[in-house]
Amino acid sequence: MRRLPLLRAAAAALLLTAALSTTGSGAAAVEPAEARPPASAGLLDALRTDLGLTRHQAEQRLAAERTAVKTEQRAERIAGAAYGGSWFEPATGRLVVAVTHEKPAAEVRGLGAETRIVRHSAALLDRAKTRIDAMPAPAGVAGWHVDPRANRVVVTVVRADRNDRAVRAFVERARRAGPVDVSETERAPVTYAAGTVGGDPYYTGNVRCSIGFSVHGGFVTAGHCGRAGAAVRGWDGSAMGTFQGSSFPGDDYAYVSVHSGWWTVPVVLGWGTVPDRLVRGSAEAPVGASICRSGSTTRWHCGTVLAKNETVNYSQGAVHQMTKTSVCAQGGDSGGSFISGDQAQGVTSGGWGNCSTGGETWFQPVNEILGRYGLTLHTA
């Protein structure tokens, strides 16, 4: 039986001390806010460095975001068909909920949220995006998503290709599908797999990727890192497990079962930047919330949630239902953990830029992966 050294940070993004007391939990398990320990000094320092916050501001923001997660779930139920989406507003520390008429707004405000009256419901915008999802996209189109702030579907094109005939034709067809705005980006996103580098978390073939989150029996990661049936090696080259399921493109997620010599714990590595993070659930953070990423190449970085349910147009094909963030990443970070506070969010898929000059990164939401394979998140 092979066992990993407990203090080896590069071992795997879910392996830590076996002495942690853990209990099984469903995918949507959320610990009451009053039971959570205070934020660590390392996490507060990371938010200060990556988001420009003081320690006090970081503490206030994390507390406000925990409240916003609960408020968002209740507000959507209250607004019903009038729900137009929602987002966290860092300047006020409150959730903003869009509604299509005033009737449910007062009840939503009673939850402590702000409201905005908008023209289009979230359901209408989602239907428009679904119609766009069915359109073949040229390489100059980076992706598209529903933007609750703009109350429209936003199609993002590569700036250098904005006048390309195929790009313009796609945008024209998209506008016929529903209310659409167009934004520009410097570069198209790419996946973040990398060639083999000794001593890093896991390998399949000649590809290195990062572990996402522990589930009972294994871990979840990015689908482009390996196909079903592919063998996985650990940081030391020993047999670690097997891809039991994998989807890419269309989706970008996978499930790897691990051998008996490897164990799983509800931990995301902080790589010495912050203390290793316990995972206590998978409640989804709203647009505008802070979020951090752990990966085997660039380790720990933080940013904010920029958009949800975005279709990302990689060269290999489109991937749906992705979440866009301002967090940087690089090759080898694929599959790694996105976490908000102590709540698992998703696994790193791809993006553009790097952690020297900045960029944007997308992740596949973890709850979708758990549901797809019938997995149970390993929580503390």
Side-chain angles (χ1 to χ4, degrees):
M1 177 180 291
R2 297 180 179 90
R3 300 186 66 186
L4 300 187
L6 298 181
L7 299 180
R8 188 180 181 89
L14 54 75
L15 298 176
L16 198 66
T17 172
L20 285 170
S21 174
T22 63
T23 58
S25 171
V30 184
E31 185 187 50
E34 61 271 14
R36 290 192 180 94
S40 69
L43 177 58
L44 297 175
D45 286 343
L47 293 178
R48 183 191 65 193
T49 300
D50 291 334
L51 299 183
L53 303 177
T54 67
R55 181 186 179 92
H56 180 62
Q57 288 171 333
E59 289 174 338
Q60 287 186 316
R61 177 157 177 168
L62 290 172
E65 288 174 356
R66 287 195 294 269
T67 299
V69 168
K70 296 180 179 180
T71 303
E72 184 176 45
Q73 296 167 351
R74 297 173 62 191
E76 183 173 359
R77 289 195 298 268
I78 289 171
Y83 182 69
S86 56
W87 63 94
F88 178 77
E89 188 56 66
T92 62
R94 299 175 71 185
L95 186 76
V96 182
V97 180
V99 291
T100 56
H101 53 82
E102 182 61 35
K103 186 176 180 180
E107 192 171 356
V108 171
R109 286 193 291 270
L111 300 175
E114 299 178 15
T115 57
R116 298 285 187 276
I117 303 299
V118 296
R119 180 176 179 182
H120 308 295
S121 69
L124 182 148
L125 296 174
D126 286 342
R127 288 194 296 271
K129 180 184 175 294
T130 298
R131 288 191 285 270
I132 298 172
D133 283 344
M135 303 176 187
V141 176
W144 51 96
H145 67 277
V146 172
D147 184 345
R149 290 187 179 96
N151 195 228
R152 301 177 76 81
V153 178
V154 176
V155 175
T156 304
V157 302
V158 178
R159 183 168 291 113
D161 298 326
R162 64 181 181 271
N163 292 321
D164 179 82
R165 180 178 297 177
V167 171
R168 294 176 65 180
F170 180 89
V171 170
E172 289 175 6
R173 291 197 302 273
R175 284 181 166 139
R176 291 196 290 271
V180 164
D181 283 344
V182 178
S183 68
E184 296 181 358
T185 184
E186 289 296 328
R187 283 173 283 175
V190 297
T191 56
Y192 279 135
T196 299
V197 177
D200 281 297
Y202 85 87
Y203 308 90
T204 177
N206 65 346
V207 171
R208 171 171 60 85
C209 282
S210 300
I211 292 167
F213 293 96
S214 285
V215 296
H216 290 282
F219 63 86
V220 294
T221 186
H224 70 263
C225 292
R227 295 303 183 198
V232 172
R233 306 187 310 278
W235 65 272
D236 60 354
S238 66
M240 184 182 194
T242 305
F243 277 85
Q244 296 298 327
S246 178
S247 180
F248 179 81
D251 309 295
D252 193 6
Y253 50 62
Y255 162 50
V256 175
S257 64
V258 296
H259 301 322
S260 59
W262 300 75
W263 66 92
T264 64
V265 291
V267 169
V268 172
L269 287 179
W271 299 101
T273 301
V274 301
D276 298 334
R277 307 294 297 165
L278 288 175
V279 177
R280 300 184 184 277
S282 58
E284 189 175 320
V287 170
S290 61
I291 195 166
C292 297
R293 180 193 55 73
S294 181
S296 62
T297 299
T298 57
R299 301 191 172 186
W300 184 271
H301 288 276
C302 300
T304 58
V305 178
L306 299 178
K308 294 184 181 182
N309 193 22
E310 178 152 7
T311 298
V312 179
N313 192 35
Y314 294 129
S315 60
Q316 301 96 322
V319 177
H320 308 293
Q321 295 179 311
M322 302 274 272
T323 297
K324 179 180 181 180
T325 77
S326 64
V327 187
C328 67
Q330 293 175 201
D333 286 328
S334 277
S337 321
F338 265 92
I339 188 166
S340 181
D342 55 15
Q343 299 295 304
Q345 298 297 306
V347 300
T348 304
S349 174
W352 62 267
N354 56 58
C355 289
S356 296
T357 60
E360 295 174 336
T361 302
W362 283 259
F363 67 79
Q364 187 88 69
V366 70
N367 286 333
E368 180 183 357
I369 311 172
L370 300 175
R372 169 63 180 82
Y373 297 117
L375 303 171
T376 300
L377 186 68
H378 200 167
T379 58

